[in-house]
Amino acid sequence: METIDTPERAMLVIPHPDDGESGCAGTVAKWTAEGTKVLYVLATNGDKGTEDPDMTSERLAEIREAEQCRAAEVLGVEEVVFLGYGDGELEDTREFRGHIIHHIRRFRPDILLTMDPLRHYSHTHRDHRITGQVALDACFPFARDRLHFPEHIAQGLETFKVGDVLLWGSENPDVVVDIKPTIDRKLKALAAHESQLSSDLDRIEGFVKRRAADAAERASVDGHTYELAEIFRHITFRR
């Protein structure tokens, strides 16, 4: 596997609150500590993720937004945008794609992170697949070409070419990030999502560290080994 340089600006397109922390909070914490400006774009409000018979979608959406803001603060994320789509209700539409393109053209990230939409050996949440695919399409060719979403140009947003995308949750990763120095911040950020996680913090820590150790075992760069890692599939678009 390869490593990747710390970017100046990174944008995450995230299906549900807590997906970003689960997938790449260690990487985000590392980058923000090194000066990266980070934008979160949350596709859905996570308003279905509960087994509580007394919970309503409206109340859960409010809870999860607050949790996401706390998690982002832990990681040093400067801005969080909530698109507000319902959990399980994402579609590959011009509107959804346009929101992502708008923020790409506004924020102008060096690198974009999202979930890998391609799975061959296991199933994944429909929102995960749609978010990943729409985010990739937004990067190329839509954000690049002036005649796509000309209303953005009228708003003063120029086109932008995203050079690199990192996909977490990939079956075929080829980039590794050492997260041993930032694992505690990842755990703290995940713990902010109280509505979604076990109250047993030791159990959460054990699970997260096992996943990070498993990822580290898959990664080797010029013979260098890692204890805890996050791994990604890297896509490069020609600038």
Side-chain angles (χ1 to χ4, degrees):
M1 289 194 189
E2 299 179 348
T3 58
I4 194 162
D5 292 337
T6 300
E8 292 186 12
R9 305 175 75 81
M11 173 175 161
L12 279 70
V13 182
I14 304 168
H16 310 100
D18 81 22
D19 285 335
E21 281 69 50
S22 177
C24 56
T27 299
V28 171
K30 176 182 184 295
W31 286 353
T32 58
E34 295 171 355
T36 303
K37 295 184 182 300
V38 177
L39 167 68
Y40 272 15
V41 177
L42 270 292
T44 79
N45 57 19
D47 64 352
K48 306 297 192 302
T50 184
E51 296 180 355
D52 183 351
D54 297 321
M55 181 65 71
T56 66
S57 288
E58 292 77 14
R59 181 171 163 231
L60 183 59
E62 293 177 358
I63 290 170
R64 298 199 69 184
E65 180 172 325
E67 290 174 345
Q68 182 61 82
C69 288
R70 288 196 295 273
E73 184 176 0
V74 168
L75 298 174
V77 175
E78 293 189 0
E79 182 182 3
V80 182
V81 172
F82 296 92
L83 299 184
Y85 289 101
D87 189 343
E89 299 176 12
L90 284 181
E91 301 290 347
D92 185 347
T93 63
R94 185 182 190 277
E95 179 188 77
F96 180 31
R97 190 163 56 253
H99 285 312
I100 298 173
I101 294 164
H102 173 91
H103 291 294
I104 289 172
R105 288 174 169 176
R106 175 181 70 85
F107 188 71
R108 309 179 80 77
D110 301 300
I111 192 165
L112 185 141
L113 296 87
T114 192
M115 295 196 75
D116 196 330
L118 300 179
R119 287 285 181 120
H120 298 288
Y121 307 112
S122 62
H123 182 64
T124 189
H125 196 297
R126 184 172 183 273
D127 287 342
H128 294 182
R129 300 194 306 272
I130 292 175
T131 297
Q133 190 59 60
V134 172
L136 283 169
D137 292 338
C139 289
F140 180 85
F142 287 89
R144 181 197 65 177
D145 295 343
R146 291 186 64 84
L147 296 182
H148 288 303
F149 295 88
E151 59 268 33
H152 295 167
I153 308 301
Q155 295 165 7
L157 298 176
E158 291 298 324
T159 60
F160 185 75
K161 299 177 182 178
V162 177
D164 298 278
V165 173
L166 291 184
L167 301 171
W168 75 82
S170 177
E171 294 175 341
N172 300 292
D174 53 11
V175 162
V176 57
V177 177
D178 181 2
I179 66 165
K180 183 180 179 182
T182 56
I183 190 68
D184 289 341
R185 286 176 66 193
K186 174 168 181 152
L187 289 167
K188 186 176 180 182
L190 277 167
H193 297 281
E194 296 178 17
S195 70
Q196 303 301 300
L197 300 178
S198 167
S199 59
D200 185 345
L201 296 181
D202 289 337
R203 182 180 177 185
I204 295 171
E205 180 175 353
F207 173 74
V208 170
K209 287 187 174 180
R210 281 195 302 274
R211 283 184 58 186
D214 288 345
E217 285 187 11
R218 299 176 65 184
S220 176
V221 180
D222 296 329
H224 182 78
T225 59
Y226 300 88
E227 291 185 40
L228 302 170
E230 289 171 345
I231 49 181
F232 306 87
R233 181 160 68 95
H234 184 199
I235 293 177
T236 301
F237 295 114
R238 186 175 62 191
R239 289 188 181 273

